[in-house]
Amino acid sequence: MEDDDIQLELDGAPPGGQPVQQGPRQRRLQPPDTLQGHPYLEFPDGTDAARHFQKLGRMHIGSHSAIDWDAIDAIDETARVRRFIPVDSPWHHLFDLAHTPSYRELLVEFLSSFRFHPPGVPVPLPHPDAPPLPEVSFRLAGVLRSMTLVDFAVHCVLYMQEEIETEIYTAGLVVVDRPTLLGFWQVIAGANHWEHEKSKGRVSFIRDPLYRFMNHMLATSIAARGLQPLVVRPCALAHGLAQYYASAHHRQEDGFLYGGAYVTVITRSLGLVLHQDPHLRTPPVMPRRMGFQSLWGMKLLKRFPVGLRFKDHDGGIWRERSPYQSSLSPSILRQILLMQCPWRTLRRM
């Protein structure tokens, strides 16, 4: 089977440019200074958007990773992955849409201007007669837009309009607390690895190759920042995505900006035609699929008589051991694995 990690799909390259893959090898290089004076990136002096742009405009754009389902099926792991990413679920949409190009000008404009006021959270107003602030607001292709979190979720194509009144939207996901995350880490990586200061939170000590694979998916996509109390929140996936965008300007300047794939999806949903936009001056950053090349590179695979399979730390075929599943519901497991990314967040505690 051909690995399509490098089989990139063209999504309308801007005039004069060809799609490129921007990755870690370019990390130490400053992005080309094509954003100064760009019509989409002119913000009023002294505003938060102008300050955020000064930092975000110097950062690299990360390439999103999408799941290569053919590779997952070939190593006989589809059933396990589908336990956490059910077909046609919002999580399925999230990872499927990751295979979308990112446009630097649009992403930097979007992140610089993005504001999120979660529904139900009081927001101070400048004066008593001021109108309430929109839940989500941003500027895209030079146009300022505002909407509810529900509308944002639909424009992200995480939820379909007809799903908004169903349990898919209203049930939300569970945001787990710190003790649950600590206990989960000790199960998947071992208490000794957790207590050893030098190896605390190291991904290589996660026993299950599938969880290491999912960690990489989120590390090259989006991950929730920080921990919150145990709570069930409607539209939790769109809520988490909005929180990620609202906090992007806090990221390290030598790191990568992700989320561009979903900004492209939002742009299309708003009716903009990207390949006809003359203001997109830089080639899009193309996605990749995490297939055999990635799995071999992460040292997760080995060839056995039955075929390619995930291997354990001793070199044998990985056999799932899941004592935690009896005490944690699937929704909590999904939140731990796909949203909180504990082996990263716990390192900062």
Side-chain angles (χ1 to χ4, degrees):
M1 179 182 299
E2 291 291 333
D3 176 69
D4 64 352
D5 278 2
I6 57 175
Q7 303 299 315
L8 304 177
E9 296 178 4
L10 175 60
D11 186 80
Q18 292 297 321
V20 296
Q21 168 74 26
Q22 182 174 346
R25 293 181 180 178
Q26 287 82 26
R27 183 168 188 159
R28 296 182 181 275
L29 302 177
Q30 284 292 330
D33 188 11
T34 61
L35 299 184
Q36 294 299 327
H38 193 285
Y40 291 166
L41 297 165
E42 295 179 353
F43 300 102
D45 292 339
T47 61
D48 288 340
R51 287 190 293 271
H52 295 166
F53 167 64
Q54 291 305 311
K55 176 180 180 179
L56 297 172
R58 295 192 294 266
M59 296 178 66
H60 291 281
I61 307 303
S63 174
H64 281 258
S65 295
I67 296 175
D68 184 339
W69 289 103
D70 288 339
I72 295 298
D73 189 58
I75 62 175
D76 199 29
E77 289 289 337
T78 300
R80 282 216 300 154
V81 175
R82 284 303 186 192
R83 216 185 295 162
F84 305 106
I85 310 176
V87 175
D88 290 332
S89 68
W91 287 106
H92 176 88
H93 300 326
L94 180 77
F95 285 105
D96 188 51
L97 293 169
H99 201 254
T100 304
S102 300
Y103 293 82
R104 184 169 177 239
E105 295 91 342
L106 295 178
L107 178 59
V108 172
E109 178 194 23
F110 182 89
L111 294 179
S112 298
S113 59
F114 193 88
R115 298 291 179 273
F116 179 43
H117 301 101
V121 178
V123 178
L125 299 177
H127 54 83
D129 296 329
L133 296 174
E135 293 174 359
V136 174
S137 62
F138 54 85
R139 208 178 75 184
L140 196 55
V143 179
L144 184 63
R145 304 175 187 273
S146 59
M147 60 189 66
T148 65
L149 181 61
V150 171
D151 292 335
F152 177 71
V154 173
H155 280 299
C156 292
V157 198
L158 297 175
Y159 304 85
M160 301 298 103
Q161 185 67 52
E162 58 271 20
E163 294 174 341
I164 295 302
E165 300 300 327
T166 70
E167 193 172 288
I168 293 176
Y169 176 89
T170 58
L173 297 177
V174 176
V175 181
V176 299
D177 55 6
R178 181 175 182 270
T180 303
L181 286 173
L182 289 171
F184 183 76
W185 171 260
Q186 290 176 351
V187 169
I188 67 173
N192 291 336
H193 293 146
W194 169 254
E195 295 168 356
H196 193 286
E197 183 64 27
K198 291 185 178 180
S199 64
K200 181 169 63 176
R202 188 176 298 175
V203 174
S204 60
F205 284 111
I206 298 173
R207 295 190 183 101
D208 193 329
L210 177 60
Y211 297 165
R212 291 172 62 187
F213 173 81
M214 289 183 171
N215 170 73
H216 187 84
M217 291 291 300
L218 279 193
T220 56
S221 179
I222 62 169
R225 312 296 292 180
L227 300 174
Q228 304 175 36
L230 187 66
V231 61
V232 176
R233 179 188 298 120
C235 197
L237 187 53
H239 191 289
L241 185 59
Q243 282 188 321
Y244 173 83
Y245 284 140
S247 63
H249 61 278
H250 292 303
R251 301 184 73 84
Q252 296 291 330
E253 192 171 314
D254 62 350
F256 287 92
L257 291 175
Y258 290 100
Y262 309 110
V263 173
T264 300
V265 171
I266 294 169
T267 305
R268 293 172 179 163
S269 177
L270 293 170
L272 301 178
V273 182
L274 297 175
H275 68 272
Q276 296 179 358
D277 190 338
H279 298 300
L280 299 182
R281 302 171 182 172
T282 56
V285 177
M286 300 303 290
R288 65 190 186 112
R289 291 197 184 275
M290 287 191 63
F292 289 113
Q293 182 174 318
S294 299
L295 294 170
W296 281 112
M298 295 172 68
K299 297 181 170 57
L300 300 179
L301 291 184
K302 185 176 178 180
R303 192 175 299 278
F304 297 95
V306 294
L308 288 173
R309 294 291 185 271
F310 278 146
K311 66 177 182 178
D312 59 25
H313 280 260
D314 297 323
I317 295 180
W318 168 258
R319 305 293 183 187
E320 184 178 18
R321 306 168 184 84
S322 52
Y324 49 84
Q325 289 191 13
S326 60
S327 58
L328 294 178
S329 70
S331 61
I332 293 179
L333 283 171
R334 190 184 306 131
Q335 183 74 355
I336 293 173
L337 291 173
L338 300 180
M339 198 66 170
Q340 293 295 351
C341 211
W343 33 89
R344 288 181 174 272
T345 56
L346 294 182
R347 174 180 280 177
R348 298 192 293 272
M349 292 184 178

